[in-house]
Amino acid sequence: EWSGGSHTAPELRLLLFALAYSLRATKIIETGYDTGMTTVILAETGAEVVGIDNGEEYPNVKQAAIERVKEYPNIQLVQGDALEYLKNQVDASIDFIFVDDAHHYDWVLTEALEVKRILKPGGVAVFHDTVECNLWGVIKETFSDWQKIELPAISPGLSRNMGVGIVRKPGSGV
């Protein structure tokens, strides 16, 4: 069965790894870990990775995620509300964030404001499904003074562009 994690193209996983690795990220958050496939790729950078998922979407793949990440001591899976988790993080404390949980405008706007607060200067956030869920507008507005780019991200299962938006917080590197 195709789940959210399965819609993250292998090329996008490679890009996420390359971005996090090139930043020398030590603290990474992934919202909406689904199958844990992207979580493992992020952990391969050597960073501490926290995956947050409330378990409501694709509940049948959560056990597979637990199994997939169990060999990685640098991964912590948290079952809970991603927005609440982000709100509880210290200002300028996270190097890299992959946002792939709820995809409606108000939710993404609220998460984006938390991302702005908790990313370190020079840190990067990547938002999945910007085309599929028409989210690039809210990201462009929220991060108007940040470097940003929207790229195609073709779902292997749906063969259509889900879209990915990348933003970088102004300031010195991580």
Side-chain angles (χ1 to χ4, degrees), residues 82-100:
L83 182 55
E84 287 305 311
Y85 187 87
L86 295 175
K87 286 180 178 180
N88 288 318
Q89 300 309 299
V90 175
D91 292 2
S93 62
I94 306 298
D95 302 307
F96 188 87
I97 302 173
F98 179 48
V99 180
D100 192 16

Side-chain angles (χ1 to χ4, degrees), residues 154-173:
I154 308 302
S155 164
L158 300 174
S159 297
R160 65 178 184 247
N161 180 17
M162 306 302 275
V164 63
I166 303 169
V167 298
R168 184 172 186 267
K169 189 171 189 171
S172 62

Side-chain angles (χ1 to χ4, degrees), residues 12 99-100 103 108 126-140 149-153 161-167:
L12 177 53
V99 180
D100 192 16
H103 296 310
V108 173
V126 178
F127 293 82
H128 196 225
D129 300 325
T130 56
V131 171
E132 179 74 8
C133 299
N134 197 28
L135 300 174
W136 185 239
V138 68
I139 293 165
K140 281 194 328 187
I149 187 170
E150 185 180 39
L151 299 170
N161 180 17
M162 306 302 275
V164 63
I166 303 169
V167 298

Side-chain angles (χ1 to χ4, degrees), residues 9-20:
E11 299 85 357
L12 177 53
R13 285 193 186 87
L14 177 60
L15 177 62
L16 294 172
F17 174 87
L19 285 170

